[in-house]
Amino acid sequence: MKILFVIDSFYTTNNGTSISAQRYAAELRRRGHKVRVLCWDAPQNLRGKSDSGQKLCTKDNMVDGVFHTAKFRIPFFQPLCDKHDFSFAFTDRYIVHEACDWADIVHIFVPFGISWEAVHYCNRIGKPVTGAFHIQPENMTSSVGMGKVNWFNELFYRTWNREIYSQLRHIHVPSYFMGRMLEERGYTAKIHPISNGIQEAFMEAGERKNANRRICKSEKGNIFKIMMIGRLSQEKRQDVIINAVKYSKYSNQIQLVFAGKGPEYEKYVELGKELKHQPQFVYVGRDELIEHLLETDLYVHASDMESEAISCIEAFATGLVPVIANSHLSATPQFALDGRSLFIPGDPKDLARAIDYWLDNPQERYAMEEQYRISGCKYSLSASVEQFEEMLNEEIQENVMRVTFEPVSTLSWRS
C-alpha cells in the first residue's frame, strides 16, 4: 500500500517521535510498502535548502520520497525549538492535499498544523487516515516551566482531541499508559498500544554480551560507568542523576555519560563540575551508541514524563539493569522487573540509594542483566510494525465499507 507519514520534523535524530517514524518507514518499505513523508526538513544531502521557504524541487514538491513544505518560524520561541532540534512545518494546503491524494492511507504523528489540515482533508475526500499520540503536552510545557501546571496541560489534551483525534477512528499509542491517559480524558477512537520497537542490532548486542560476558572497560579501572540516553531538557531530569552521584558512596568512582543534546547542556556541564569525574556528553549514531551501552555498568532513566522511552528499552535489551524514576506521568516504570529498579522521581538521595545497591551487589546485577535482556526481546521493531500494519488495514477496510458508527470508546486490548 502507499502510506503517507505526516510529521513536522522527520530527519532529526534528537527526537524520539522522529526516530520512530524513520524506523517505521524503513521497516514498512522493507515489507514492500511505498512510504512517503510530509514534513518541512530535508535529507542530510539537502539539509538547509528547505529552511528558506523555497520549494526543494519543481515536481510534486517531493524529494527522495518526501513532500516538503516550508519551515514555520515561531516568533520568540524559535530559538528554543532549534535547541530541541524540532521545528514546525508551514501548512501549505496545496502540498498537504497533493501528498494526501498520493496515498492509500495517511498517518499523522504529531497534532500540529499540517496534521490538522491532513486529517480534515482526508475526512472531506473519504481518505483513510489514522493518528499517533506520541507527544505528551508536558513534554512541551516543561520547556517553559509549566510542565506540572495541570490546567494548562489539560487544555492541550482537550484541544487536540476536539480538533484532531475526535476525527479519527484509530489512534496508535506507544504504551498502555498512554492509552489509559487518553481514555481517561474522553478520547473515543479505538486505541492501539503498540511499542515503537527497537532495532535488532540492540538485541543482537545483548546476545553477544550474554554469550561472552565482558567486564566493562570502565569497571576494570575501578570506575563505574552510568549512562542515560535522552534529550538534554528539563523534563528528562539529567540534573537528578548528577546530584545523585554526589550522595553516592561511589561518588569518586562514577563516570556519567549522557547521550543526547538539548537546551540544558550548559546548565548540566556547570552542575557536573562538582563531580570528581565530570559528565561526558555524546551525540552519536546507533553503532557507537551500542558500544557505549556495552561498556556501561548501569543505566538510569530519570525522566519525569515519557510516553514510552524507547531509549530505556534499547539499554536493557543490550543487557543492562535500568534504574527508573517511578513517575505517575511516565510509562517507563512498566519496564522495571522489581522495585530495585525504581526510585522516587526527582529525589537524588533515593536514586543514590538505588545506584549504591546495584553497585554493592554485582552478582545480583549480572543475574538481572540477563533477565532484562530477555525482557527487551519482546519489543522488536518488526513485531511492532506488524501490529501497526494491522491497524492500517483495519482503517482501510472500515473506510471501504463506509460503515457509519460511533467510535469505539474502549482500548483495543479490552476489545
Side-chain angles (χ1 to χ4, degrees):
M1 72 181 84
K2 294 189 293 185
I3 305 166
L4 177 72
F5 281 178
V6 181
I7 180 170
D8 293 64
S9 292
F10 179 70
Y11 285 98
T12 175
T13 56
N14 195 42
N15 177 290
T17 300
S18 298
I19 292 171
S20 294
Q22 294 166 23
R23 293 176 178 176
Y24 266 50
E27 179 65 17
L28 287 165
R29 287 173 181 139
R30 190 186 69 80
R31 290 169 174 261
H33 301 287
K34 295 180 179 179
V35 182
R36 291 184 182 177
V37 182
L38 172 61
C39 61
W40 80 264
D41 54 346
Q44 288 293 337
N45 62 325
L46 295 170
R47 183 63 57 84
K49 295 183 181 180
S50 64
D51 199 359
S52 65
Q54 297 179 350
K55 296 176 181 178
L56 288 171
C57 62
T58 58
K59 182 179 179 181
D60 296 333
N61 304 304
M62 191 271 290
V63 174
D64 294 341
V66 181
F67 292 92
H68 287 280
T69 73
K71 181 178 181 178
F72 179 71
R73 294 185 173 277
I74 302 178
F76 183 74
F77 288 105
Q78 190 59 44
L80 181 61
C81 292
D82 292 339
K83 287 183 177 180
H84 282 281
D85 203 17
F86 180 93
S87 290
F88 296 95
F90 178 77
T91 305
D92 185 318
R93 290 187 175 183
Y94 174 80
I95 299 176
V96 173
H97 296 179
E98 180 182 37
C100 292
D101 287 339
W102 168 85
D104 294 324
I105 186 167
V106 174
H107 180 74
I108 67 162
F109 277 84
V110 288
F112 306 130
I114 55 172
S115 295
W116 291 31
E117 181 61 30
V119 168
H120 287 282
Y121 179 68
C122 287
N123 283 334
R124 286 202 305 272
I125 67 174
K127 178 81 65 174
V129 57
T130 60
F133 201 107
H134 290 283
I135 299 179
Q136 295 167 268
E138 293 87 350
N139 292 137
M140 299 188 309
T141 57
S142 291
S143 298
V144 292
M146 300 186 71
K148 296 184 179 180
V149 181
N150 290 335
W151 69 265
F152 192 53
N153 293 307
E154 292 300 324
L155 180 62
F156 281 96
Y157 278 112
R158 290 197 299 270
T159 301
W160 291 348
N161 187 26
R162 182 181 67 248
E163 298 297 332
I164 297 183
Y165 292 103
S166 63
Q167 314 300 316
L168 303 174
R169 285 184 289 261
H170 299 274
I171 302 174
H172 166 216
V173 294
S175 62
Y176 288 83
F177 163 81
M178 283 307 303
R180 285 190 290 270
M181 293 282 280
L182 298 190
E183 185 184 49
E184 290 169 359
R185 287 161 174 79
Y187 284 58
T188 56
K190 183 175 181 180
I191 298 174
H192 300 258
I194 305 170
S195 171
N196 286 321
I198 62 171
Q199 295 174 303
E200 296 291 333
F202 292 93
M203 291 180 281
E204 291 170 357
E207 290 174 0
R208 292 198 307 271
K209 180 178 180 179
N210 179 58
N212 185 23
R213 178 175 294 279
R214 57 196 275 187
I215 297 177
C216 295
K217 294 178 183 177
S218 57
E219 194 168 329
K220 287 180 180 178
N222 202 30
I223 298 295
F224 297 101
K225 182 175 175 179
I226 296 177
M227 190 170 183
M228 178 175 169
I229 307 168
R231 198 170 59 254
L232 304 179
S233 56
Q234 290 186 27
E235 77 275 12
K236 299 298 183 183
R237 300 309 307 270
Q238 285 91 345
D239 60 306
V240 176
I241 304 177
I242 296 172
N243 287 325
V245 172
K246 300 173 186 177
Y247 292 110
S248 170
K249 69 171 72 173
Y250 296 97
S251 178
N252 292 334
Q253 297 171 253
I254 292 176
Q255 174 65 67
L256 294 178
V257 177
F258 296 118
K261 62 181 181 179
E264 299 299 302
Y265 169 74
E266 293 180 359
K267 172 184 174 182
Y268 293 156
V269 168
E270 188 65 28
L271 189 62
K273 287 181 179 179
E274 300 178 28
L275 303 181
K276 180 176 180 180
H277 302 283
Q278 295 183 19
Q280 297 175 0
F281 298 87
V282 299
Y283 187 62
V284 297
R286 185 197 67 187
D287 292 343
E288 192 172 348
L289 177 63
I290 289 174
E291 286 304 309
H292 274 287
L293 289 169
L294 290 175
E295 295 176 352
T296 293
D297 300 293
L298 195 65
Y299 181 81
V300 177
H301 205 85
S303 181
D304 283 339
M305 47 204 70
E306 293 281 6
S307 59
E308 184 181 32
I310 201 69
S311 57
C312 185
I313 307 176
E314 292 172 343
F316 65 74
T318 63
L320 283 174
V321 171
V323 180
I324 301 165
N326 193 17
S327 171
H328 72 283
L329 292 175
S330 173
T332 319
Q334 68 179 312
F335 302 130
L337 297 182
D338 59 48
R340 294 175 296 174
S341 283
L342 296 172
F343 73 94
I344 299 171
D347 188 333
K349 290 184 178 179
D350 196 53
L351 174 54
R353 172 201 56 78
I355 289 173
D356 288 353
Y357 174 83
W358 289 114
L359 298 186
D360 280 341
N361 299 281
Q363 294 308 315
E364 290 185 39
R365 177 158 49 90
Y366 296 151
M368 289 305 296
E369 283 178 349
E370 174 60 7
Q371 294 302 310
Y372 275 105
R373 184 193 70 79
I374 294 171
S375 176
C377 293
K378 298 185 296 184
Y379 300 97
S380 72
L381 177 63
S382 59
S384 295
V385 171
E386 183 175 346
Q387 296 176 65
F388 182 75
E389 282 180 302
E390 293 174 0
M391 182 189 75
L392 297 184
N393 284 322
E394 188 173 345
E395 166 63 18
I396 289 173
Q397 291 169 9
E398 291 175 357
N399 192 73
V400 169
M401 293 173 64
R402 299 180 183 277
V403 176
T404 303
F405 65 102
E406 290 294 326
V408 180
S409 60
T410 183
L411 300 180
S412 62
W413 66 82
R414 297 181 185 173
S415 299

